[in-house]
Amino acid sequence: MNQTSENTGGAGLRLTAPPSGWAIEADVVVVGSGVAGLTAALRCAAAGRKTVIVTKARLDAGSTRWAQGGIAAALGEGDTPEQHLDDTLVAGAGLCDEAAVRTLVTEGPDAVRRLIGTGARFDTSPETGEMALTREGGHHRRRIAHAGGDATGAEISRALVAAVREAGLETVENALVLDLLKDADGRAAGVSLHVMGEGRHDGVGAVHAPAVVLATGGMGQVFSATTNPAVSTGDGVALALRAGAEVSDLEFVQFHPTVLYLGPGSEGQQPLVSEAVRGEGAHLVDADGVRFMVGRHELAELAPRDIVAKGIMRRMRERDADHMYLDARHFGAVMWEERFPTILAACRAHGIDPVTEPIPVAPAAHYASGGVRTDLAGRTTVPGLYACGEVACTGVHGANRLASNSLLEGLVFAERIAADIVGSPARTPVPVGSGPSDGGWQSVPLLPPEARYAIQRTMTAGAGVLRSAESLTRAAGELAELAEAASDPASGKPAEPGVEAWETTNLHLVARVLVAAALRRTETRGCHWREDRPDRDDESWRRHLVTALRPTTEGPTLVVRTTHSTAFPPVTPEEVP
């Protein structure tokens, strides 16, 4: 895959896959079943649009159910959207789009109330009966609503899944989305997908719909250790890139500071120790019990996540250690059992009792602040294609997401997407059997499933919490070698189309974009930490990187450009090269 800074026209790329053997017609297809996808689907269906939900596993198996801390909104006495805005802008390290943040914080409280109306039950104070609010890193007020102590995501998922089933929405579970379908005018016309295992349909098929909503979650599986579930392989971002949509800010991957350390070489999904534990008074300490975050930031352990993650990494280097500790023994058994039952169970399952000993923790890949570039209605640069939730880049998070803004972003912008779809004239789905035009499409060579682990090791070593020109250049070279091997006939039998090969190919694509952006951004900002460029450079880099993928005679080519300001997501004429 090549890289250029010049715009080379529209894209026509897709995964190598068998032709569709079946199809469904709808007005809207929503890909993903977290808070963003299910909210968008419910709103569209309630307005009379035939809506189909496609999800990679079960309806309740996405990232939302793993969210522990809660959902942030100015719901408490004395709190205001303006204060929430200020905290979000600070965490975003100068790259938030203020219009997007203002939309989030002003519409957020009512969106949470509508979520409660859908059936979500949040924890309340036993004394007052009012919603119980806690504090997390970067927040100057208690504004985090939580459920089941530390099971907020699970409760939100439960309520939304129940509402979807009650409404009778058509769903296709255990389905990996492959590529966007387009009509002759280049508009979205649905998606191709592959149903796995016990799905209602067998093999590759299609959902034809003039409105496509991507809500596919994150891409944490591009790293060896992550808090993300196994399904988070960057499928939505990869699909959008092949369809010609722009993505932005993929270099800003948030590494959660406090993930349960399971030993050297541990891979896959790691247990999260919610920021809410620090919000309730837990301390970060080294092996000698020293609180090393005190004096490094006014909020100490409750500083924004990038600052805490860097503080932990620095202390690990100073002490030649591979983890630090989170000490909450002073909570006592009752508080642990009532406020953090999920975390308590996870720790004990791994032989750690936080009631009597500090918890070993280390940073791990957690959240993609960047994603598919959208406007304030969730529209991407491909007509008819929308994106919301972690797969999207709305401009809200900037260079680093503020704690518990993710569920709120998914909720608010899903409602805005539904409003835009419902407010637009209904379009007729592409008739079943006619399909989109195949003219000009290029099939992307598939990487073999075993390349997945090479990608993860490369990304962890070269593009993890600590980055440099040297490490990123090495990562770029290793990723290029994997691509060359996949497209070289002399390398042996090509990879067979299938779920593992498709996922690996998606991971490889998002890894290439992430590394290219991280190399291009020669500064340290938010959760992008360049050891060789330790200073923030507002004059040169208070702007966004926008990447697209274009087909050329030499193969798929990354097109990278820089915006002229933090104004995001609107694309102004002077931004176009």
Side-chain angles (χ1 to χ4, degrees):
M1 191 182 302
N2 305 308
Q3 184 177 336
T4 180
S5 294
E6 296 182 3
N7 198 325
T8 56
L13 298 162
R14 63 184 178 189
L15 292 169
T16 301
S20 298
W22 52 270
I24 299 171
E25 287 192 23
D27 298 317
V28 184
V29 56
V30 175
V31 186
S33 59
V35 62
L38 296 186
T39 298
L42 285 166
R43 297 292 185 273
C44 288
R49 299 295 171 96
K50 182 184 178 184
T51 304
V52 173
I53 300 169
V54 173
T55 188
K56 195 171 179 181
R58 302 183 313 278
L59 273 180
D60 62 352
S63 293
T64 291
R65 65 178 290 214
W66 297 101
Q68 295 175 345
I71 184 167
L75 295 163
E77 185 177 352
D79 197 6
T80 64
E82 200 69 25
Q83 294 175 71
H84 189 182
L85 180 141
D86 289 343
D87 286 345
T88 301
L89 295 179
V90 169
L95 275 191
C96 296
D97 175 60
E98 188 167 337
V101 178
R102 194 170 294 281
T103 297
L104 178 82
V105 300
T106 55
E107 296 182 10
D110 283 343
V112 172
R113 294 182 184 103
R114 284 189 289 273
L115 180 62
I116 293 170
T118 303
R121 298 187 293 265
F122 290 95
D123 295 340
T124 57
S125 166
E127 291 81 20
T128 66
E130 299 292 322
M131 188 181 297
L133 301 173
T134 191
R135 217 178 129 200
E136 291 184 356
H139 294 272
H140 282 80
R141 284 191 174 272
R142 286 182 169 262
R143 65 168 65 97
I144 317 300
H146 50 85
D150 58 358
T152 309
E155 170 58 18
I156 290 173
S157 179
R158 180 206 63 77
L160 291 174
V161 167
V164 163
R165 287 177 174 154
E166 184 178 349
L169 270 66
E170 183 170 4
T171 62
V172 183
E173 297 181 294
N174 304 305
L176 171 65
V177 67
L178 300 177
D179 281 301
L180 185 73
L181 305 178
K182 292 183 178 181
D183 64 19
D185 297 323
R187 288 187 56 89
V191 292
S192 59
L193 62 154
H194 173 81
V195 177
M196 303 172 278
E198 299 298 320
R200 184 170 61 84
H201 301 280
D202 184 31
V204 175
V207 179
H208 294 157
V212 177
V213 181
L214 292 180
T216 52
M219 56 185 192
Q221 291 290 328
V222 79
F223 295 96
S224 296
T226 177
T227 63
N228 290 189
V231 295
S232 298
T233 51
D235 307 318
V237 170
L239 174 151
L241 282 163
R242 289 191 297 269
E246 294 180 342
V247 304
S248 188
D249 299 350
L250 282 199
E251 67 270 34
F252 297 117
V253 176
Q254 186 178 85
F255 286 77
H256 198 287
T258 53
V259 176
L260 183 62
Y261 179 72
L262 300 180
S266 58
E267 295 183 338
Q269 186 178 7
Q270 313 286 301
L272 175 67
V273 182
S274 170
E275 196 151 322
V277 177
R278 281 176 281 137
E280 295 291 353
H283 302 144
L284 279 167
V285 298
D286 61 20
D288 294 329
V290 176
R291 286 183 62 190
F292 55 86
M293 284 305 298
V294 174
R296 295 196 181 209
H297 190 276
E298 60 163 335
L299 295 176
E301 286 93 350
L302 286 176
R305 288 179 178 176
D306 63 309
I307 294 171
V308 178
K310 291 171 189 175
I312 292 173
M313 294 299 294
R314 287 193 180 105
R315 194 63 164 185
M316 285 164 54
R317 288 196 299 186
E318 291 168 3
R319 301 299 304 268
D320 192 25
D322 49 16
H323 64 279
M324 289 286 111
Y325 295 91
L326 188 64
D327 192 351
R329 289 174 291 179
H330 55 285
F331 285 5
V334 173
M335 181 172 175
W336 267 110
E337 290 164 1
E338 294 182 354
R339 180 68 178 85
F340 300 111
T342 307
I343 299 170
L344 178 64
C347 289
R348 285 177 170 170
H350 291 282
I352 304 295
D353 188 350
V355 176
T356 60
E357 59 188 317
I359 306 167
V361 294
H366 181 57
Y367 189 88
S369 294
V372 185
R373 195 177 196 219
T374 75
D375 66 11
L376 296 183
R379 294 174 292 215
T380 73
T381 50
V382 173
L385 177 64
Y386 298 80
C388 58
E390 190 173 354
V391 72
C393 187
T394 61
V396 159
H397 303 308
N400 184 41
R401 174 178 67 90
L402 181 66
S404 288
N405 268 357
S406 52
L407 291 174
L408 190 71
E409 184 199 30
L411 191 62
V412 167
F413 285 89
E415 291 189 341
R416 294 179 72 84
I417 285 174
D420 189 75
I421 292 173
V422 171
S424 303
R427 300 177 69 91
T428 304
V430 175
V432 173
S434 67
S437 171
D438 280 346
W441 287 95
Q442 291 182 12
S443 289
V444 176
L446 299 180
L447 273 72
E450 58 267 24
R452 175 172 182 154
Y453 304 103
I455 293 167
Q456 291 171 332
R457 287 191 294 270
T458 290
M459 293 299 289
T460 297
V465 180
L466 307 178
R467 304 168 177 176
S468 67
E470 181 182 358
S471 74
L472 290 164
T473 300
R474 184 171 60 251
E478 292 172 0
L479 292 170
E481 289 174 4
L482 290 172
E484 290 164 8
S487 57
D488 182 4
S491 64
K493 185 179 178 182
E496 291 292 327
V499 172
E500 292 182 343
W502 290 322
E503 285 187 334
T504 302
T505 304
N506 286 339
L507 282 172
H508 183 264
L509 176 54
V510 297
R512 293 291 298 269
V513 176
L514 193 161
V515 169
L519 260 174
R520 185 83 169 259
R521 184 173 289 278
T522 52
E523 65 159 357
T524 289
R525 180 186 297 272
C527 49
H528 171 63
W529 187 10
R530 286 279 297 262
E531 291 184 282
D532 57 330
R533 300 281 184 158
D535 299 321
R536 173 169 153 174
D537 181 0
D538 279 350
E539 183 176 352
S540 300
W541 285 111
R542 197 176 176 197
R543 56 196 65 190
H544 302 273
L545 286 172
V546 179
T547 305
L549 183 68
R550 307 299 190 205
T552 69
T553 54
E554 290 79 29
T557 298
L558 292 180
V559 181
V560 185
R561 65 181 176 87
T562 308
T563 63
H564 293 313
S565 72
T566 57
F568 184 81
V571 179
T572 58
E574 62 267 21
E575 285 184 346
V576 179

